[in-house]
Amino acid sequence: KAASAEVMQTIYDWNPQGVANVVWAFAKLEVQDRPFFTCVAQDAAAKIKDFKPQNLVNVAWAYAKMNMRHETGLLQAISASVPHRASDFNPQHCSNAVWAFAALALSDGPVLDAVARQAVQTASSFQAQDLSNVAWSFAKLARQDAELMSAVGQEVLRKAGSFQPQNLSITAYSFGQLVFADRRVMDAIMEASLLRIREFDSQGLSNLCQAMAKTSLFHQSCLAAVTTAAQTKIASFTNQELAMVAWSMAKLGQLTGDSLDMVINETRARADRLTPQDLSVLIWAIARSSGRTQMILEMLAPKVVARCKNLIPQDLANITWGYATACVRNEGLMKSLGQESLLQLKRFTVQDLANTTLGFAKLEVLDASLLRGLAAEMRCAAKLEPQHIAITTW
């Protein structure tokens, strides 16, 4: 508190490096002092033209670390400055700059493009943390940049052996989110992960699974090792991590045997604590497996009914599809799904409409009001693919 008060009284006399250093230090220590950060933000914005790249990036990192999106004056000044300074950035500057914008959910095209071009030029000097930060940042912002990801991928190929488990899992996850499906790069990540699989925590294991599923690049040895590791650490998995592991294995066609038993047992044990979205994902995954799933789906039906009003359109459609795929007909469940789907039809995608129609038809549940609503929405749909027409007509 004493340091904060002194800084706020004298900040206007500080040079750019001093300003950057002090705000970085407070953020590093996670000091919750909004007046301090607001005062420094005003001063930093006024002096931004005199900031060196390190000062500029440190300030951006500090305000991202403290999640201070409301300091719009400073953030706009940083956004205006970065494109003109990015050519002087070193790898760590590039990494921290894009991380800051991603953490603040600021998809600033000129900033990201400028940093990406510099990153491509200097990629050979990037360390593991820099590479994983850049990949994560672009994935977080859902921003595609083929040239940048290719450059990052080439460095991953060269350096995967030096990555820590967290770097490996974050890079793999990010490539999955961006659907950067380079077989050589993903194999390098999975081979390096396989050697250190015991060091991965639950999130890391989940990330590896999701990467394989989303890129459709299946690494059999690594997935087997992930499954074994998950079984020993399953108690530490969050519900969302459990759901995403199940989803990934099901999408890869590998949710069978011991892995299916693990998912079913954990789903049963956690059923009352699952969010509607986690419940939806787990039902979809279990239904897609080839095992005997009727008992668990029957047990989950009343849990779905209790949460039905909190389901989003995709959840409603996926659960309907899941029960139909597993040929499990529960009258109370289908009535609740039909009523809630009818209320939300305007928000359904074409795929949701098709899956819902298929589910009710396959289970031979005639809900006339819902079917009329589905037909009306399908007639108004802007983009109908042949598969949607075929499913709905059937």
PDB file of all heavy atoms in Angstrom, residues 166-192:
ATOM      1  N   GLN A 166       3.551 -29.372 -20.144  1.00  0.00           N
ATOM      2  CA  GLN A 166       2.561 -28.306 -20.338  1.00  0.00           C
ATOM      3  C   GLN A 166       2.682 -27.694 -21.729  1.00  0.00           C
ATOM      4  O   GLN A 166       1.666 -27.408 -22.375  1.00  0.00           O
ATOM      5  CB  GLN A 166       2.727 -27.225 -19.277  1.00  0.00           C
ATOM      6  CG  GLN A 166       1.643 -26.150 -19.360  1.00  0.00           C
ATOM      7  CD  GLN A 166       1.794 -25.082 -18.294  1.00  0.00           C
ATOM      8  OE1 GLN A 166       2.894 -24.794 -17.835  1.00  0.00           O
ATOM      9  NE2 GLN A 166       0.687 -24.484 -17.885  1.00  0.00           N
ATOM     10  N   ASN A 167       3.921 -27.488 -22.209  1.00  0.00           N
ATOM     11  CA  ASN A 167       4.110 -26.947 -23.554  1.00  0.00           C
ATOM     12  C   ASN A 167       3.542 -27.893 -24.608  1.00  0.00           C
ATOM     13  O   ASN A 167       2.903 -27.468 -25.572  1.00  0.00           O
ATOM     14  CB  ASN A 167       5.592 -26.713 -23.844  1.00  0.00           C
ATOM     15  CG  ASN A 167       6.280 -25.796 -22.861  1.00  0.00           C
ATOM     16  OD1 ASN A 167       7.397 -26.058 -22.433  1.00  0.00           O
ATOM     17  ND2 ASN A 167       5.619 -24.701 -22.469  1.00  0.00           N
ATOM     18  N   LEU A 168       3.794 -29.172 -24.427  1.00  0.00           N
ATOM     19  CA  LEU A 168       3.306 -30.176 -25.383  1.00  0.00           C
ATOM     20  C   LEU A 168       1.783 -30.188 -25.426  1.00  0.00           C
ATOM     21  O   LEU A 168       1.181 -30.168 -26.514  1.00  0.00           O
ATOM     22  CB  LEU A 168       3.829 -31.562 -24.997  1.00  0.00           C
ATOM     23  CG  LEU A 168       5.328 -31.799 -25.190  1.00  0.00           C
ATOM     24  CD1 LEU A 168       5.763 -33.071 -24.466  1.00  0.00           C
ATOM     25  CD2 LEU A 168       5.689 -31.893 -26.671  1.00  0.00           C
ATOM     26  N   SER A 169       1.152 -30.198 -24.256  1.00  0.00           N
ATOM     27  CA  SER A 169      -0.309 -30.308 -24.229  1.00  0.00           C
ATOM     28  C   SER A 169      -0.969 -29.044 -24.770  1.00  0.00           C
ATOM     29  O   SER A 169      -1.957 -29.117 -25.501  1.00  0.00           O
ATOM     30  CB  SER A 169      -0.805 -30.614 -22.815  1.00  0.00           C
ATOM     31  OG  SER A 169      -0.835 -29.473 -22.000  1.00  0.00           O
ATOM     32  N   ILE A 170      -0.430 -27.886 -24.429  1.00  0.00           N
ATOM     33  CA  ILE A 170      -1.014 -26.630 -24.903  1.00  0.00           C
ATOM     34  C   ILE A 170      -0.839 -26.487 -26.412  1.00  0.00           C
ATOM     35  O   ILE A 170      -1.763 -26.063 -27.119  1.00  0.00           O
ATOM     36  CB  ILE A 170      -0.392 -25.427 -24.164  1.00  0.00           C
ATOM     37  CG1 ILE A 170      -0.865 -25.401 -22.710  1.00  0.00           C
ATOM     38  CG2 ILE A 170      -0.757 -24.112 -24.863  1.00  0.00           C
ATOM     39  CD1 ILE A 170      -0.203 -24.336 -21.867  1.00  0.00           C
ATOM     40  N   THR A 171       0.330 -26.835 -26.916  1.00  0.00           N
ATOM     41  CA  THR A 171       0.571 -26.747 -28.362  1.00  0.00           C
ATOM     42  C   THR A 171      -0.334 -27.709 -29.116  1.00  0.00           C
ATOM     43  O   THR A 171      -0.942 -27.348 -30.136  1.00  0.00           O
ATOM     44  CB  THR A 171       2.043 -27.037 -28.678  1.00  0.00           C
ATOM     45  OG1 THR A 171       2.880 -26.156 -27.918  1.00  0.00           O
ATOM     46  CG2 THR A 171       2.331 -26.813 -30.158  1.00  0.00           C
ATOM     47  N   ALA A 172      -0.440 -28.936 -28.618  1.00  0.00           N
ATOM     48  CA  ALA A 172      -1.316 -29.921 -29.259  1.00  0.00           C
ATOM     49  C   ALA A 172      -2.762 -29.435 -29.250  1.00  0.00           C
ATOM     50  O   ALA A 172      -3.453 -29.473 -30.279  1.00  0.00           O
ATOM     51  CB  ALA A 172      -1.203 -31.260 -28.535  1.00  0.00           C
ATOM     52  N   TYR A 173      -3.230 -28.975 -28.103  1.00  0.00           N
ATOM     53  CA  TYR A 173      -4.600 -28.480 -27.978  1.00  0.00           C
ATOM     54  C   TYR A 173      -4.852 -27.324 -28.951  1.00  0.00           C
ATOM     55  O   TYR A 173      -5.890 -27.269 -29.612  1.00  0.00           O
ATOM     56  CB  TYR A 173      -4.847 -28.018 -26.542  1.00  0.00           C
ATOM     57  CG  TYR A 173      -6.158 -27.290 -26.338  1.00  0.00           C
ATOM     58  CD1 TYR A 173      -7.335 -27.993 -26.159  1.00  0.00           C
ATOM     59  CD2 TYR A 173      -6.203 -25.886 -26.341  1.00  0.00           C
ATOM     60  CE1 TYR A 173      -8.541 -27.317 -25.974  1.00  0.00           C
ATOM     61  CE2 TYR A 173      -7.401 -25.222 -26.165  1.00  0.00           C
ATOM     62  CZ  TYR A 173      -8.563 -25.944 -25.975  1.00  0.00           C
ATOM     63  OH  TYR A 173      -9.758 -25.274 -25.813  1.00  0.00           O
ATOM     64  N   SER A 174      -3.891 -26.415 -29.039  1.00  0.00           N
ATOM     65  CA  SER A 174      -4.051 -25.248 -29.906  1.00  0.00           C
ATOM     66  C   SER A 174      -4.125 -25.645 -31.371  1.00  0.00           C
ATOM     67  O   SER A 174      -4.969 -25.138 -32.122  1.00  0.00           O
ATOM     68  CB  SER A 174      -2.886 -24.276 -29.683  1.00  0.00           C
ATOM     69  OG  SER A 174      -2.826 -23.874 -28.328  1.00  0.00           O
ATOM     70  N   PHE A 175      -3.268 -26.568 -31.786  1.00  0.00           N
ATOM     71  CA  PHE A 175      -3.329 -27.053 -33.160  1.00  0.00           C
ATOM     72  C   PHE A 175      -4.677 -27.731 -33.424  1.00  0.00           C
ATOM     73  O   PHE A 175      -5.236 -27.622 -34.517  1.00  0.00           O
ATOM     74  CB  PHE A 175      -2.188 -28.030 -33.441  1.00  0.00           C
ATOM     75  CG  PHE A 175      -0.843 -27.366 -33.617  1.00  0.00           C
ATOM     76  CD1 PHE A 175       0.328 -28.106 -33.506  1.00  0.00           C
ATOM     77  CD2 PHE A 175      -0.730 -26.020 -33.914  1.00  0.00           C
ATOM     78  CE1 PHE A 175       1.576 -27.509 -33.683  1.00  0.00           C
ATOM     79  CE2 PHE A 175       0.505 -25.406 -34.086  1.00  0.00           C
ATOM     80  CZ  PHE A 175       1.660 -26.159 -33.972  1.00  0.00           C
ATOM     81  N   GLY A 176      -5.194 -28.414 -32.407  1.00  0.00           N
ATOM     82  CA  GLY A 176      -6.498 -29.041 -32.556  1.00  0.00           C
ATOM     83  C   GLY A 176      -7.595 -28.012 -32.747  1.00  0.00           C
ATOM     84  O   GLY A 176      -8.455 -28.149 -33.616  1.00  0.00           O
ATOM     85  N   GLN A 177      -7.586 -26.959 -31.934  1.00  0.00           N
ATOM     86  CA  GLN A 177      -8.605 -25.912 -32.038  1.00  0.00           C
ATOM     87  C   GLN A 177      -8.564 -25.222 -33.390  1.00  0.00           C
ATOM     88  O   GLN A 177      -9.594 -24.817 -33.926  1.00  0.00           O
ATOM     89  CB  GLN A 177      -8.408 -24.878 -30.926  1.00  0.00           C
ATOM     90  CG  GLN A 177      -8.653 -25.415 -29.523  1.00  0.00           C
ATOM     91  CD  GLN A 177     -10.070 -25.885 -29.314  1.00  0.00           C
ATOM     92  OE1 GLN A 177     -10.334 -27.086 -29.249  1.00  0.00           O
ATOM     93  NE2 GLN A 177     -10.993 -24.960 -29.208  1.00  0.00           N
ATOM     94  N   LEU A 178      -7.358 -25.079 -33.934  1.00  0.00           N
ATOM     95  CA  LEU A 178      -7.191 -24.430 -35.231  1.00  0.00           C
ATOM     96  C   LEU A 178      -7.291 -25.417 -36.389  1.00  0.00           C
ATOM     97  O   LEU A 178      -7.190 -25.034 -37.553  1.00  0.00           O
ATOM     98  CB  LEU A 178      -5.827 -23.720 -35.284  1.00  0.00           C
ATOM     99  CG  LEU A 178      -5.671 -22.514 -34.347  1.00  0.00           C
ATOM    100  CD1 LEU A 178      -4.207 -22.085 -34.275  1.00  0.00           C
ATOM    101  CD2 LEU A 178      -6.549 -21.352 -34.802  1.00  0.00           C
ATOM    102  N   VAL A 179      -7.475 -26.693 -36.056  1.00  0.00           N
ATOM    103  CA  VAL A 179      -7.513 -27.786 -37.029  1.00  0.00           C
ATOM    104  C   VAL A 179      -6.278 -27.710 -37.937  1.00  0.00           C
ATOM    105  O   VAL A 179      -6.371 -27.782 -39.165  1.00  0.00           O
ATOM    106  CB  VAL A 179      -8.819 -27.782 -37.853  1.00  0.00           C
ATOM    107  CG1 VAL A 179      -9.019 -29.134 -38.537  1.00  0.00           C
ATOM    108  CG2 VAL A 179     -10.023 -27.487 -36.975  1.00  0.00           C
ATOM    109  N   PHE A 180      -5.127 -27.536 -37.303  1.00  0.00           N
ATOM    110  CA  PHE A 180      -3.851 -27.546 -38.026  1.00  0.00           C
ATOM    111  C   PHE A 180      -3.388 -28.997 -38.089  1.00  0.00           C
ATOM    112  O   PHE A 180      -2.728 -29.501 -37.185  1.00  0.00           O
ATOM    113  CB  PHE A 180      -2.826 -26.666 -37.313  1.00  0.00           C
ATOM    114  CG  PHE A 180      -1.458 -26.663 -37.961  1.00  0.00           C
ATOM    115  CD1 PHE A 180      -1.264 -26.073 -39.195  1.00  0.00           C
ATOM    116  CD2 PHE A 180      -0.371 -27.260 -37.330  1.00  0.00           C
ATOM    117  CE1 PHE A 180      -0.012 -26.061 -39.795  1.00  0.00           C
ATOM    118  CE2 PHE A 180       0.881 -27.261 -37.916  1.00  0.00           C
ATOM    119  CZ  PHE A 180       1.066 -26.661 -39.159  1.00  0.00           C
ATOM    120  N   ALA A 181      -3.803 -29.682 -39.141  1.00  0.00           N
ATOM    121  CA  ALA A 181      -3.622 -31.136 -39.227  1.00  0.00           C
ATOM    122  C   ALA A 181      -2.370 -31.493 -40.027  1.00  0.00           C
ATOM    123  O   ALA A 181      -2.442 -31.928 -41.175  1.00  0.00           O
ATOM    124  CB  ALA A 181      -4.855 -31.783 -39.848  1.00  0.00           C
ATOM    125  N   ASP A 182      -1.212 -31.315 -39.409  1.00  0.00           N
ATOM    126  CA  ASP A 182       0.055 -31.706 -40.022  1.00  0.00           C
ATOM    127  C   ASP A 182       0.511 -32.990 -39.332  1.00  0.00           C
ATOM    128  O   ASP A 182       0.881 -32.974 -38.158  1.00  0.00           O
ATOM    129  CB  ASP A 182       1.090 -30.589 -39.844  1.00  0.00           C
ATOM    130  CG  ASP A 182       2.396 -30.874 -40.568  1.00  0.00           C
ATOM    131  OD1 ASP A 182       2.964 -31.962 -40.359  1.00  0.00           O
ATOM    132  OD2 ASP A 182       2.858 -29.998 -41.326  1.00  0.00           O
ATOM    133  N   ARG A 183       0.468 -34.089 -40.045  1.00  0.00           N
ATOM    134  CA  ARG A 183       0.773 -35.390 -39.457  1.00  0.00           C
ATOM    135  C   ARG A 183       2.150 -35.434 -38.802  1.00  0.00           C
ATOM    136  O   ARG A 183       2.317 -35.949 -37.699  1.00  0.00           O
ATOM    137  CB  ARG A 183       0.644 -36.474 -40.531  1.00  0.00           C
ATOM    138  CG  ARG A 183       1.220 -37.833 -40.151  1.00  0.00           C
ATOM    139  CD  ARG A 183       0.519 -38.444 -38.955  1.00  0.00           C
ATOM    140  NE  ARG A 183      -0.782 -38.955 -39.272  1.00  0.00           N
ATOM    141  CZ  ARG A 183      -1.569 -39.586 -38.395  1.00  0.00           C
ATOM    142  NH1 ARG A 183      -1.175 -39.717 -37.133  1.00  0.00           N
ATOM    143  NH2 ARG A 183      -2.750 -40.035 -38.743  1.00  0.00           N
ATOM    144  N   ARG A 184       3.153 -34.889 -39.464  1.00  0.00           N
ATOM    145  CA  ARG A 184       4.511 -34.957 -38.906  1.00  0.00           C
ATOM    146  C   ARG A 184       4.614 -34.177 -37.593  1.00  0.00           C
ATOM    147  O   ARG A 184       5.243 -34.635 -36.634  1.00  0.00           O
ATOM    148  CB  ARG A 184       5.529 -34.412 -39.910  1.00  0.00           C
ATOM    149  CG  ARG A 184       5.707 -35.258 -41.162  1.00  0.00           C
ATOM    150  CD  ARG A 184       6.879 -34.748 -41.973  1.00  0.00           C
ATOM    151  NE  ARG A 184       6.759 -33.320 -42.225  1.00  0.00           N
ATOM    152  CZ  ARG A 184       7.793 -32.474 -42.310  1.00  0.00           C
ATOM    153  NH1 ARG A 184       9.030 -32.913 -42.141  1.00  0.00           N
ATOM    154  NH2 ARG A 184       7.593 -31.192 -42.558  1.00  0.00           N
ATOM    155  N   VAL A 185       4.004 -33.004 -37.570  1.00  0.00           N
ATOM    156  CA  VAL A 185       4.065 -32.176 -36.365  1.00  0.00           C
ATOM    157  C   VAL A 185       3.317 -32.846 -35.206  1.00  0.00           C
ATOM    158  O   VAL A 185       3.832 -32.934 -34.083  1.00  0.00           O
ATOM    159  CB  VAL A 185       3.479 -30.773 -36.632  1.00  0.00           C
ATOM    160  CG1 VAL A 185       3.419 -29.961 -35.344  1.00  0.00           C
ATOM    161  CG2 VAL A 185       4.327 -30.038 -37.673  1.00  0.00           C
ATOM    162  N   MET A 186       2.106 -33.323 -35.481  1.00  0.00           N
ATOM    163  CA  MET A 186       1.340 -33.965 -34.418  1.00  0.00           C
ATOM    164  C   MET A 186       2.018 -35.237 -33.934  1.00  0.00           C
ATOM    165  O   MET A 186       2.024 -35.529 -32.729  1.00  0.00           O
ATOM    166  CB  MET A 186      -0.071 -34.269 -34.910  1.00  0.00           C
ATOM    167  CG  MET A 186      -0.939 -33.029 -35.095  1.00  0.00           C
ATOM    168  SD  MET A 186      -1.124 -32.023 -33.580  1.00  0.00           S
ATOM    169  CE  MET A 186      -2.077 -33.146 -32.570  1.00  0.00           C
ATOM    170  N   ASP A 187       2.625 -35.984 -34.835  1.00  0.00           N
ATOM    171  CA  ASP A 187       3.345 -37.190 -34.412  1.00  0.00           C
ATOM    172  C   ASP A 187       4.527 -36.835 -33.514  1.00  0.00           C
ATOM    173  O   ASP A 187       4.814 -37.535 -32.537  1.00  0.00           O
ATOM    174  CB  ASP A 187       3.835 -37.972 -35.632  1.00  0.00           C
ATOM    175  CG  ASP A 187       2.744 -38.843 -36.242  1.00  0.00           C
ATOM    176  OD1 ASP A 187       1.660 -38.936 -35.649  1.00  0.00           O
ATOM    177  OD2 ASP A 187       2.983 -39.432 -37.320  1.00  0.00           O
ATOM    178  N   ALA A 188       5.211 -35.746 -33.850  1.00  0.00           N
ATOM    179  CA  ALA A 188       6.347 -35.317 -33.027  1.00  0.00           C
ATOM    180  C   ALA A 188       5.885 -34.954 -31.619  1.00  0.00           C
ATOM    181  O   ALA A 188       6.537 -35.300 -30.624  1.00  0.00           O
ATOM    182  CB  ALA A 188       7.046 -34.123 -33.680  1.00  0.00           C
ATOM    183  N   ILE A 189       4.747 -34.258 -31.520  1.00  0.00           N
ATOM    184  CA  ILE A 189       4.204 -33.890 -30.215  1.00  0.00           C
ATOM    185  C   ILE A 189       3.801 -35.139 -29.441  1.00  0.00           C
ATOM    186  O   ILE A 189       4.101 -35.282 -28.245  1.00  0.00           O
ATOM    187  CB  ILE A 189       3.002 -32.944 -30.376  1.00  0.00           C
ATOM    188  CG1 ILE A 189       3.449 -31.589 -30.925  1.00  0.00           C
ATOM    189  CG2 ILE A 189       2.280 -32.752 -29.034  1.00  0.00           C
ATOM    190  CD1 ILE A 189       2.309 -30.653 -31.265  1.00  0.00           C
ATOM    191  N   MET A 190       3.126 -36.058 -30.109  1.00  0.00           N
ATOM    192  CA  MET A 190       2.645 -37.262 -29.426  1.00  0.00           C
ATOM    193  C   MET A 190       3.797 -38.171 -29.001  1.00  0.00           C
ATOM    194  O   MET A 190       3.764 -38.763 -27.918  1.00  0.00           O
ATOM    195  CB  MET A 190       1.661 -38.018 -30.328  1.00  0.00           C
ATOM    196  CG  MET A 190       0.393 -37.240 -30.635  1.00  0.00           C
ATOM    197  SD  MET A 190      -0.489 -36.698 -29.127  1.00  0.00           S
ATOM    198  CE  MET A 190      -1.509 -35.374 -29.795  1.00  0.00           C
ATOM    199  N   GLU A 191       4.823 -38.280 -29.834  1.00  0.00           N
ATOM    200  CA  GLU A 191       5.980 -39.108 -29.465  1.00  0.00           C
ATOM    201  C   GLU A 191       6.699 -38.516 -28.249  1.00  0.00           C
ATOM    202  O   GLU A 191       7.098 -39.249 -27.336  1.00  0.00           O
ATOM    203  CB  GLU A 191       6.947 -39.218 -30.645  1.00  0.00           C
ATOM    204  CG  GLU A 191       6.429 -40.016 -31.829  1.00  0.00           C
ATOM    205  CD  GLU A 191       6.279 -41.503 -31.514  1.00  0.00           C
ATOM    206  OE1 GLU A 191       6.891 -41.976 -30.534  1.00  0.00           O
ATOM    207  OE2 GLU A 191       5.532 -42.177 -32.244  1.00  0.00           O
ATOM    208  N   ALA A 192       6.851 -37.197 -28.245  1.00  0.00           N
ATOM    209  CA  ALA A 192       7.498 -36.548 -27.100  1.00  0.00           C
ATOM    210  C   ALA A 192       6.623 -36.677 -25.842  1.00  0.00           C
ATOM    211  O   ALA A 192       7.134 -36.872 -24.732  1.00  0.00           O
ATOM    212  CB  ALA A 192       7.756 -35.079 -27.410  1.00  0.00           C
TER     213      ALA A 192
END
